[in-house]
Amino acid sequence: MAGSAIKRKLESSGHTNLIYRSHAELDLTNQEEVTAFFEKERPEYVFLAAAKVGGILANSTYPAEFIYQNLMIEANVIHAAYKNGVKKLLFLGSSCIYPKLAPQPLKEEYLLTGELEETNEAYAIAKIAGIRLCKHYNQQYGTNFISVMPTNLYGPNDNFDLQTSHVMPALMRKFHEAKIKNEHQVIVWGTGKPRREFLHVDDMADACIYLMENWTYNDIEEFVNIGVGKDLTICELAKLMADIVGYKGTILFDTTKPDGTPQKRLDVSKLHGLGWDARISLRDGIVQTYEWYLENVQTK
Ligand code: GDP
Protein backbone atom coordinates (compact mmCIF):
# COMPACT_ATOMS: atom_id res chain seq x y z
CA MET A 1 0.00 0.00 0.00
CA ALA A 2 2.71 2.54 0.99
CA GLY A 3 5.06 1.70 -1.89
CA SER A 4 2.34 1.79 -4.53
CA ALA A 5 1.15 5.19 -3.22
CA ILE A 6 4.68 6.60 -3.52
CA LYS A 7 4.96 5.17 -7.04
CA ARG A 8 1.58 6.65 -8.08
CA LYS A 9 2.58 10.07 -6.77
CA LEU A 10 6.00 10.02 -8.45
CA GLU A 11 4.40 9.00 -11.75
CA SER A 12 1.70 11.65 -11.54
CA SER A 13 4.33 14.32 -10.89
CA GLY A 14 6.12 13.37 -14.11
CA HIS A 15 8.93 11.04 -13.05
CA THR A 16 9.68 8.51 -15.77
CA ASN A 17 12.93 7.03 -14.46
CA LEU A 18 11.44 4.81 -11.77
CA ILE A 19 12.79 1.38 -10.91
CA TYR A 20 10.69 -0.93 -8.79
CA ARG A 21 10.13 -4.61 -8.25
CA SER A 22 7.12 -6.41 -6.87
CA HIS A 23 7.39 -8.88 -4.06
CA ALA A 24 7.22 -11.75 -6.55
CA GLU A 25 10.03 -10.33 -8.72
CA LEU A 26 12.58 -9.57 -6.00
CA ASP A 27 12.80 -11.19 -2.57
CA LEU A 28 14.25 -8.45 -0.37
CA THR A 29 14.96 -10.93 2.43
CA ASN A 30 17.49 -12.61 0.12
CA GLN A 31 20.88 -10.89 0.29
CA GLU A 32 22.16 -12.24 -3.03
CA GLU A 33 19.08 -11.07 -4.91
CA VAL A 34 19.23 -7.61 -3.34
CA THR A 35 22.96 -7.24 -4.05
CA ALA A 36 22.47 -8.27 -7.69
CA PHE A 37 19.53 -5.88 -8.09
CA PHE A 38 21.48 -2.86 -6.75
CA GLU A 39 24.59 -3.69 -8.79
CA LYS A 40 22.55 -3.97 -11.98
CA GLU A 41 20.16 -1.03 -11.56
CA ARG A 42 22.34 1.41 -9.53
CA PRO A 43 19.42 3.48 -8.16
CA GLU A 44 20.27 7.00 -6.97
CA TYR A 45 17.30 7.53 -4.62
CA VAL A 46 15.64 4.74 -2.67
CA PHE A 47 12.26 4.65 -0.89
CA LEU A 48 12.36 1.64 1.42
CA ALA A 49 8.63 1.05 1.87
CA ALA A 50 8.74 -2.74 1.70
CA ALA A 51 7.97 -4.50 4.97
CA LYS A 52 6.01 -7.34 6.44
CA VAL A 53 3.07 -5.57 8.03
CA GLY A 54 -0.18 -6.62 9.67
CA GLY A 55 -2.78 -5.79 12.28
CA ILE A 56 -2.84 -6.58 15.96
CA LEU A 57 -3.73 -10.28 15.55
CA ALA A 58 -1.16 -11.02 12.82
CA ASN A 59 1.57 -9.21 14.77
CA SER A 60 0.95 -11.15 17.96
CA THR A 61 0.47 -14.52 16.21
CA TYR A 62 3.53 -14.45 13.91
CA PRO A 63 6.17 -12.42 15.82
CA ALA A 64 9.07 -14.48 14.48
CA GLU A 65 8.07 -13.74 10.87
CA PHE A 66 7.64 -10.04 11.63
CA ILE A 67 11.03 -9.60 13.26
CA TYR A 68 12.97 -11.85 10.86
CA GLN A 69 11.58 -10.59 7.57
CA ASN A 70 11.77 -6.92 8.50
CA LEU A 71 15.32 -7.16 9.85
CA MET A 72 16.45 -8.99 6.70
CA ILE A 73 14.80 -6.49 4.33
CA GLU A 74 16.31 -3.50 6.14
CA ALA A 75 19.80 -4.93 6.53
CA ASN A 76 19.98 -6.09 2.91
CA VAL A 77 18.60 -2.91 1.34
CA ILE A 78 20.38 -0.37 3.55
CA HIS A 79 23.73 -2.14 3.19
CA ALA A 80 23.34 -2.50 -0.60
CA ALA A 81 22.37 1.18 -0.83
CA TYR A 82 25.59 2.13 0.94
CA LYS A 83 27.73 -0.26 -1.14
CA ASN A 84 26.31 1.07 -4.40
CA GLY A 85 26.59 4.78 -3.62
CA VAL A 86 22.88 5.59 -3.29
CA LYS A 87 22.63 9.39 -2.90
CA LYS A 88 19.69 9.30 -0.55
CA LEU A 89 17.49 6.65 1.03
CA LEU A 90 14.20 7.11 2.88
CA PHE A 91 13.27 4.37 5.34
CA LEU A 92 9.66 3.97 6.45
CA GLY A 93 9.23 3.02 10.09
CA SER A 94 6.06 3.10 12.15
CA SER A 95 4.55 4.89 15.14
CA CYS A 96 4.64 1.59 17.08
CA ILE A 97 8.37 2.14 17.75
CA TYR A 98 7.42 4.30 20.74
CA PRO A 99 7.13 2.96 24.31
CA LYS A 100 3.66 1.71 25.24
CA LEU A 101 3.15 4.27 27.96
CA ALA A 102 5.04 7.24 26.51
CA PRO A 103 3.51 10.69 27.12
CA GLN A 104 1.15 11.92 24.39
CA PRO A 105 1.57 13.28 21.81
CA LEU A 106 4.60 11.19 20.86
CA LYS A 107 7.70 13.25 20.23
CA GLU A 108 10.63 11.85 18.26
CA GLU A 109 12.86 12.08 21.35
CA TYR A 110 10.75 9.42 23.20
CA LEU A 111 12.35 6.61 21.16
CA LEU A 112 13.85 3.97 23.49
CA THR A 113 12.69 5.58 26.70
CA GLY A 114 10.49 2.68 27.89
CA GLU A 115 9.03 -0.79 27.32
CA LEU A 116 7.30 -1.51 24.00
CA GLU A 117 3.73 -2.70 23.58
CA GLU A 118 3.61 -6.54 23.70
CA THR A 119 1.34 -7.17 20.68
CA ASN A 120 3.72 -5.58 18.18
CA GLU A 121 7.06 -5.71 19.93
CA ALA A 122 8.71 -7.90 17.28
CA TYR A 123 7.75 -5.52 14.48
CA ALA A 124 8.73 -2.46 16.54
CA ILE A 125 12.19 -3.87 17.37
CA ALA A 126 12.81 -4.49 13.67
CA LYS A 127 11.72 -0.94 12.78
CA ILE A 128 13.92 0.54 15.53
CA ALA A 129 16.81 -1.47 14.08
CA GLY A 130 16.08 0.11 10.69
CA ILE A 131 16.23 3.63 12.14
CA ARG A 132 19.52 2.85 13.84
CA LEU A 133 20.97 1.19 10.73
CA CYS A 134 20.39 4.45 8.86
CA LYS A 135 21.81 6.50 11.72
CA HIS A 136 24.97 4.42 12.09
CA TYR A 137 25.63 4.15 8.35
CA ASN A 138 25.34 7.95 8.18
CA GLN A 139 27.67 8.26 11.16
CA GLN A 140 30.34 5.85 9.93
CA TYR A 141 30.06 6.14 6.14
CA GLY A 142 28.67 9.65 5.63
CA THR A 143 25.55 8.41 3.80
CA ASN A 144 22.33 10.44 3.63
CA PHE A 145 19.71 7.94 4.82
CA ILE A 146 16.62 9.48 6.40
CA SER A 147 13.81 7.79 8.34
CA VAL A 148 10.14 8.64 8.75
CA MET A 149 7.62 7.26 11.25
CA PRO A 150 4.13 7.28 9.75
CA THR A 151 1.08 6.84 11.94
CA ASN A 152 -1.55 4.16 11.08
CA LEU A 153 -2.06 4.31 7.31
CA TYR A 154 -5.11 3.51 5.20
CA GLY A 155 -6.17 3.87 1.59
CA PRO A 156 -6.17 2.04 -1.76
CA ASN A 157 -4.35 -1.33 -1.92
CA ASP A 158 -4.76 -1.96 1.80
CA ASN A 159 -5.11 -5.54 3.06
CA PHE A 160 -8.80 -6.35 3.66
CA ASP A 161 -8.28 -9.86 5.08
CA LEU A 162 -10.12 -9.92 8.41
CA GLN A 163 -7.50 -12.04 10.20
CA THR A 164 -4.39 -10.10 9.20
CA SER A 165 -5.55 -6.55 8.42
CA HIS A 166 -5.45 -3.37 10.45
CA VAL A 167 -8.59 -1.92 11.99
CA MET A 168 -9.56 0.53 9.21
CA PRO A 169 -9.85 -1.98 6.32
CA ALA A 170 -11.33 -4.59 8.69
CA LEU A 171 -14.14 -2.27 9.79
CA MET A 172 -14.80 -1.13 6.21
CA ARG A 173 -15.25 -4.71 5.09
CA LYS A 174 -17.26 -5.78 8.14
CA PHE A 175 -19.75 -2.91 7.86
CA HIS A 176 -20.02 -3.24 4.09
CA GLU A 177 -20.71 -6.97 4.22
CA ALA A 178 -23.18 -6.57 7.07
CA LYS A 179 -25.04 -3.92 5.02
CA ILE A 180 -25.30 -5.99 1.86
CA LYS A 181 -26.18 -9.20 3.71
CA ASN A 182 -28.71 -7.34 5.87
CA GLU A 183 -27.04 -8.45 9.10
CA HIS A 184 -27.93 -6.57 12.28
CA GLN A 185 -24.69 -6.87 14.23
CA VAL A 186 -21.06 -6.02 13.58
CA ILE A 187 -18.35 -7.18 15.99
CA VAL A 188 -15.50 -4.79 16.71
CA TRP A 189 -12.47 -6.15 18.57
CA GLY A 190 -11.43 -4.95 22.02
CA THR A 191 -13.15 -2.41 24.25
CA GLY A 192 -13.39 0.34 21.61
CA LYS A 193 -11.52 2.66 23.98
CA PRO A 194 -8.00 2.71 22.47
CA ARG A 195 -7.27 5.85 20.50
CA ARG A 196 -5.67 5.74 17.05
CA GLU A 197 -4.54 8.33 14.52
CA PHE A 198 -5.02 7.68 10.79
CA LEU A 199 -3.25 9.11 7.78
CA HIS A 200 -4.33 8.60 4.18
CA VAL A 201 -1.55 6.84 2.28
CA ASP A 202 -1.55 9.51 -0.47
CA ASP A 203 -0.72 12.13 2.17
CA MET A 204 2.05 9.87 3.47
CA ALA A 205 3.46 9.49 -0.06
CA ASP A 206 3.36 13.25 -0.54
CA ALA A 207 5.26 13.80 2.72
CA CYS A 208 7.90 11.19 1.82
CA ILE A 209 8.55 12.73 -1.60
CA TYR A 210 8.63 16.23 -0.09
CA LEU A 211 11.24 15.13 2.48
CA MET A 212 13.26 13.24 -0.13
CA GLU A 213 13.37 16.32 -2.36
CA ASN A 214 14.00 18.98 0.26
CA TRP A 215 15.70 17.81 3.42
CA THR A 216 18.86 15.93 4.38
CA TYR A 217 19.69 13.68 7.33
CA ASN A 218 21.47 16.57 9.03
CA ASP A 219 18.33 18.74 8.81
CA ILE A 220 16.00 15.99 9.99
CA GLU A 221 18.24 14.48 12.71
CA GLU A 222 17.57 10.75 12.91
CA PHE A 223 13.86 10.67 11.95
CA VAL A 224 10.58 12.57 11.72
CA ASN A 225 6.98 11.62 12.53
CA ILE A 226 4.41 11.73 9.72
CA GLY A 227 0.81 12.09 10.81
CA VAL A 228 -2.06 14.47 11.40
CA GLY A 229 -1.61 14.92 15.17
CA LYS A 230 -5.29 14.08 15.87
CA ASP A 231 -6.78 10.78 16.98
CA LEU A 232 -10.14 9.21 17.83
CA THR A 233 -11.33 6.14 19.73
CA ILE A 234 -11.94 2.84 17.92
CA CYS A 235 -15.60 3.24 18.96
CA GLU A 236 -15.75 6.65 17.25
CA LEU A 237 -14.05 5.20 14.18
CA ALA A 238 -16.59 2.36 14.07
CA LYS A 239 -19.49 4.86 14.18
CA LEU A 240 -17.91 7.00 11.46
CA MET A 241 -17.35 3.93 9.28
CA ALA A 242 -20.93 2.73 9.80
CA ASP A 243 -22.18 6.17 8.78
CA ILE A 244 -20.03 6.33 5.61
CA VAL A 245 -20.85 2.77 4.54
CA GLY A 246 -24.55 3.20 5.36
CA TYR A 247 -24.81 0.41 7.96
CA LYS A 248 -27.72 0.92 10.37
CA GLY A 249 -27.42 -2.08 12.76
CA THR A 250 -25.80 -2.57 16.15
CA ILE A 251 -22.10 -2.37 16.98
CA LEU A 252 -20.84 -4.95 19.53
CA PHE A 253 -17.40 -5.08 21.19
CA ASP A 254 -15.55 -8.39 21.64
CA THR A 255 -13.48 -7.74 24.76
CA THR A 256 -11.74 -11.11 24.50
CA LYS A 257 -9.67 -9.54 21.68
CA PRO A 258 -6.66 -7.35 22.59
CA ASP A 259 -6.81 -3.55 22.70
CA GLY A 260 -3.12 -3.05 22.02
CA THR A 261 -1.52 0.21 22.98
CA PRO A 262 -3.96 2.67 24.63
CA GLN A 263 -2.93 5.65 22.51
CA LYS A 264 -0.27 6.59 19.95
CA ARG A 265 -0.91 10.12 18.77
CA LEU A 266 2.05 11.64 17.01
CA ASP A 267 3.52 15.04 17.71
CA VAL A 268 3.86 16.46 14.21
CA SER A 269 5.44 19.80 15.09
CA LYS A 270 8.81 18.77 13.66
CA LEU A 271 7.17 17.85 10.35
CA HIS A 272 5.25 21.15 10.30
CA GLY A 273 8.53 22.95 10.99
CA LEU A 274 9.98 21.25 7.91
CA GLY A 275 7.09 22.71 5.90
CA TRP A 276 4.65 19.84 5.38
CA ASP A 277 1.06 19.37 6.59
CA ALA A 278 -1.54 16.67 5.80
CA ARG A 279 -4.39 17.65 3.45
CA ILE A 280 -6.87 14.76 3.34
CA SER A 281 -9.49 14.84 6.13
CA LEU A 282 -10.40 11.55 7.81
CA ARG A 283 -13.95 11.54 6.44
CA ASP A 284 -12.89 12.39 2.87
CA GLY A 285 -10.13 9.80 3.02
CA ILE A 286 -12.48 7.04 4.18
CA VAL A 287 -15.10 8.00 1.57
CA GLN A 288 -12.46 7.83 -1.18
CA THR A 289 -11.08 4.51 0.12
CA TYR A 290 -14.59 3.05 0.31
CA GLU A 291 -15.16 4.01 -3.34
CA TRP A 292 -11.90 2.24 -4.21
CA TYR A 293 -12.97 -0.78 -2.18
CA LEU A 294 -16.33 -0.98 -3.99
CA GLU A 295 -14.60 -0.92 -7.36
CA ASN A 296 -11.68 -3.20 -6.57
CA VAL A 297 -12.23 -5.51 -3.63
CA GLN A 298 -15.78 -6.15 -2.50
CA THR A 299 -17.02 -9.68 -2.67
CA LYS A 300 -20.09 -9.71 -4.87
P1 GDP B 1 -2.52 -1.50 16.18
O1 GDP B 1 -2.75 -0.05 15.88
O2 GDP B 1 -1.09 -1.92 15.98
O3 GDP B 1 -3.04 -1.88 17.54
O4 GDP B 1 -3.28 -2.38 15.07
P2 GDP B 1 -4.77 -2.57 14.53
O5 GDP B 1 -5.10 -1.56 13.50
O6 GDP B 1 -4.86 -4.01 14.12
O7 GDP B 1 -5.75 -2.40 15.79
C1 GDP B 1 -6.07 -1.14 16.31
C2 GDP B 1 -7.19 -1.27 17.34
O8 GDP B 1 -8.42 -1.58 16.66
C3 GDP B 1 -6.99 -2.35 18.39
O9 GDP B 1 -7.46 -1.86 19.64
C4 GDP B 1 -7.92 -3.47 17.89
O10 GDP B 1 -8.37 -4.33 18.92
C5 GDP B 1 -9.06 -2.63 17.34
N1 GDP B 1 -9.95 -3.35 16.39
C6 GDP B 1 -11.31 -3.37 16.47
N2 GDP B 1 -11.83 -4.17 15.52
C7 GDP B 1 -10.78 -4.63 14.79
C8 GDP B 1 -10.69 -5.50 13.67
O11 GDP B 1 -11.69 -6.00 13.15
N3 GDP B 1 -9.45 -5.73 13.18
C9 GDP B 1 -8.33 -5.18 13.74
N4 GDP B 1 -7.13 -5.43 13.18
N5 GDP B 1 -8.38 -4.38 14.82
C10 GDP B 1 -9.59 -4.11 15.35
Side-chain angles (χ1 to χ4, degrees), residues 54-57 59 96 119-120 152 162 165-168 170-171 174 187-190 194 196 198 234 257-261 264:
I56 193 162
L57 193 63
N59 262 281
C96 71
T119 58
N120 55 24
N152 293 35
L162 293 180
S165 70
H166 284 102
V167 62
M168 180 75 86
L171 294 188
K174 285 181 182 176
I187 295 178
V188 174
W189 295 352
R196 291 289 183 274
F198 297 94
I234 296 300
K257 292 283 194 304
D259 269 345
T261 205
K264 44 178 173 175

Side-chain angles (χ1 to χ4, degrees), residues 185-253:
Q185 288 184 347
V186 163
I187 295 178
V188 174
W189 295 352
T191 60
K193 291 184 185 143
R195 303 186 70 88
R196 291 289 183 274
E197 171 180 348
F198 297 94
L199 178 73
H200 192 282
V201 72
D202 287 346
D203 263 343
M204 187 253 11
D206 195 60
C208 288
I209 294 166
Y210 173 80
L211 293 168
M212 182 67 112
E213 286 177 341
N214 294 289
W215 298 102
T216 67
Y217 180 75
N218 288 337
D219 305 316
I220 291 174
E221 294 173 333
E222 191 154 36
F223 68 91
V224 58
N225 291 335
I226 302 185
V228 292
K230 282 178 273 184
D231 61 6
L232 75 174
T233 65
I234 296 300
C235 180
E236 288 164 340
L237 176 71
K239 288 182 184 157
L240 177 62
M241 187 64 80
D243 182 43
I244 290 171
V245 169
Y247 166 78
K248 308 251 183 294
T250 318
I251 299 173
L252 297 178
F253 292 92

Side-chain angles (χ1 to χ4, degrees), residues 74-87:
E74 293 156 11
N76 288 339
V77 173
I78 291 168
H79 187 68
Y82 151 63
K83 281 286 196 191
N84 290 280
V86 164
K87 288 187 183 153

